[in-house]
Amino acid sequence: MNDTPLPTLLFPFERGLIDPPGEDERVLFLGAPGAFHLPSDFAGNMTAVQGYRPDFLALQRTGISVFPEPEGEGYDLALVLLGRHRRENEQRLAEALKRTRPGARIVAACAKKDGGGSVRKRMGELVELEDHASKHHGVVFWLRRPDAIDAALAALEIGETVADGYTTAAGGFSDDGVDPGSALLVKCLPDNLSGRMADFAAGWGYLSVAAVSSFPAIKSIDLYEAHYASVEAARRNMAHKASQVPARFFWHDLLGEPVNERYDVILMNPPFHRSRAAEPDMGHSMIAAAAKALKPRGRLFLVANRQLPYEESLEKHFAAQGELRRDTVFKVLWARK
C-alpha cells in the first residue's frame, strides 16, 4: 500500500487552491495510507478509514482514529485516495458523498496510470466539480457535496458482487472470480486431510470452502486475511457454502502479527505484490509463519507462480518438502514439519 497518490491529493492544499480544515472541522480520510504527513496548517479532527491491516496498524500506532470501514456522518471534509480497482474507487467516492454534510468539500486523487483522468471525468458526469489539477503523475479533483446525491450514489454504488457463485471483495485478491492457482491447488490436495486447518491469505474464502467441502475429516478451519472486505466476504461464503464446519475469521497481518494457534494443515496461496512490483520476500515470510503455526508433522500446501523460489524456504523450515504439480504458470508445493 506504499504506491499511493498522496502527494497529488495534498497538492491543492499546499498551493493554496483549497483552504485547509480548521480546528473544529471533522475530516474523513478514505484510503489513508499507513504513513503520511499532512501540511502543518492542517488542523482538522481526522478519522481515517483503512481496511488493509498493516496500514491500519501503522495508523493506529500514530494515534490517529482509524476504522476498517467508514463510520459516522456529517463530516466537513472528505479526502479520498483512489487506486487501481474501479469498484473500490467508486465505493470510496460514494462513501465520501454519504458521510459528508451538504456543502462539504470532497477532494479525491488517483494516479494517472490507474486511470485518474477517467475517474475525474466519470465523477464530473455525476456531480459538478469545482476544479482539478494534474501533479506528481496523478490527477486530483475537488467538489462541494450537493444537497441531492441519490442519482450519483445509484450510479456509483455497487452492491454485493458475485463471481463464480462466490461473494467477492472490491479491491481484494481475485475479485473477479476464482483464481486459477487456487483452483489448481484444490485439485492437487491429497485425500487424507484431517484435523484443524488454517487458510493463510484466505482472500474471500475459496480455498476454505473447497477444502472443508471435500474433506469431511477436517474438524475446523481458521481463515487469516489482511484485507478487511475480503474477510467479510469470506465470512459470508463460508456461511452460505460450508456452514457444516466450525470456522473462525482473523483480520490479521501474517507478516507482522504472530499466529497463536497450532494446526494440522495449512493451505496457502501467498501474495507476492504490495504494489506493482513483485516481492517474493512476502511469500518467504509467510512460509516461515506457517512453519511456526503447524503442529509436529503438520503439513503445508501452497501454490505459487512457477518462477518464485519458495523451495529454498520450504527446505529451510521443514523436515520434508516437494512438488505435486507444475503447469505453464503455477506450481503446487507441499512440506511437512
Side-chain angles (χ1 to χ4, degrees):
M1 295 301 189
N2 52 5
D3 189 21
T4 71
L6 181 62
T8 304
L9 182 70
L10 298 180
F11 171 74
F13 295 99
E14 294 169 344
R15 285 298 180 93
L17 302 175
I18 301 176
D19 292 332
E23 287 187 7
D24 295 332
E25 291 188 284
R26 298 170 61 234
V27 181
L28 179 66
F29 194 168
L30 294 152
F36 65 89
H37 298 284
L38 294 173
S40 58
D41 55 356
F42 229 78
N45 179 18
M46 179 170 290
T47 297
V49 179
Q50 178 53 256
Y52 181 56
R53 183 73 174 173
D55 279 354
F56 174 91
L57 294 174
L59 288 164
Q60 205 172 53
R61 286 192 292 269
T62 67
I64 291 175
S65 177
V66 57
F67 299 91
E69 293 183 315
E71 296 188 6
E73 56 186 18
Y75 288 94
D76 302 296
L77 169 67
L79 305 176
V80 190
L81 270 183
L82 304 172
R84 292 176 296 184
H85 301 277
R86 176 178 172 271
R87 285 175 53 217
E88 186 176 48
N89 287 344
E90 296 204 346
Q91 286 178 357
R92 286 180 180 175
L93 291 167
E95 290 290 349
L97 288 171
K98 287 192 295 185
R99 304 284 174 178
T100 50
R101 60 170 175 79
R105 182 171 272 126
I106 297 171
V107 186
C110 185
K112 289 180 179 178
K113 62 187 175 185
D114 293 332
S118 298
V119 175
R120 177 192 63 78
K121 182 179 178 181
R122 166 126 170 96
M123 199 64 180
E125 293 169 349
L126 301 177
V127 294
E128 183 180 354
L129 302 185
E130 277 190 321
D131 208 344
H132 71 277
S134 296
K135 191 67 176 178
H136 304 300
H137 308 289
V139 176
V140 57
F141 56 90
W142 54 97
L143 62 128
R144 292 286 184 176
R145 193 271 209 189
D147 292 330
I149 59 172
D150 289 350
L153 291 180
L156 287 172
E157 287 191 296
I158 302 172
E160 183 176 288
T161 300
V162 177
D164 295 334
Y166 294 85
T167 298
T168 66
F173 173 68
S174 192
D175 62 356
D176 58 350
V178 176
D179 172 65
S182 294
L184 180 63
L185 175 56
V186 169
K187 292 178 182 177
C188 296
L189 293 174
D191 58 9
N192 63 345
L193 298 186
S194 63
R196 298 188 65 210
M197 176 180 282
D199 184 352
F200 278 16
W204 42 260
Y206 167 74
L207 279 178
S208 296
V209 170
V212 301
S213 300
S214 301
F215 305 106
I218 296 297
K219 296 178 180 178
S220 65
I221 187 162
D222 289 348
L223 292 78
Y224 292 81
E225 170 58 44
H227 184 248
Y228 186 85
S230 293
V231 175
E232 295 306 299
R235 195 188 305 274
R236 293 191 288 274
N237 287 323
M238 289 295 293
H240 294 157
K241 294 177 176 291
S243 60
Q244 74 278 10
V245 176
R248 297 187 298 176
F249 303 86
F250 295 87
W251 183 41
H252 193 91
D253 174 20
L254 286 163
L255 304 183
E257 296 179 281
V259 175
N260 297 319
E261 305 292 331
R262 295 297 176 262
Y263 301 100
D264 300 291
V265 180
I266 293 177
L267 307 180
M268 188 164 63
N269 185 348
F272 61 98
H273 288 281
R274 259 182 288 240
S275 55
R276 280 179 165 80
E279 300 177 64
D281 283 350
M282 294 178 70
H284 291 302
S285 297
M286 203 166 288
I287 288 170
K292 292 178 181 178
L294 282 166
K295 298 176 183 178
R297 299 195 63 79
R299 291 180 289 173
L300 169 67
F301 298 91
L302 70 91
V303 64
N305 285 28
R306 57 183 294 166
Q307 79 274 12
L308 294 172
Y310 290 155
E311 290 85 352
E312 58 191 59
S313 286
L314 296 177
E315 186 173 356
K316 176 181 178 181
H317 295 287
F318 290 86
Q321 55 96 12
E323 183 176 301
L324 292 174
R325 189 178 300 183
R326 178 182 293 252
D327 64 17
T328 57
V329 180
F330 302 106
K331 57 188 175 185
V332 177
L333 307 174
W334 66 272
R336 188 186 72 244
K337 282 287 289 288

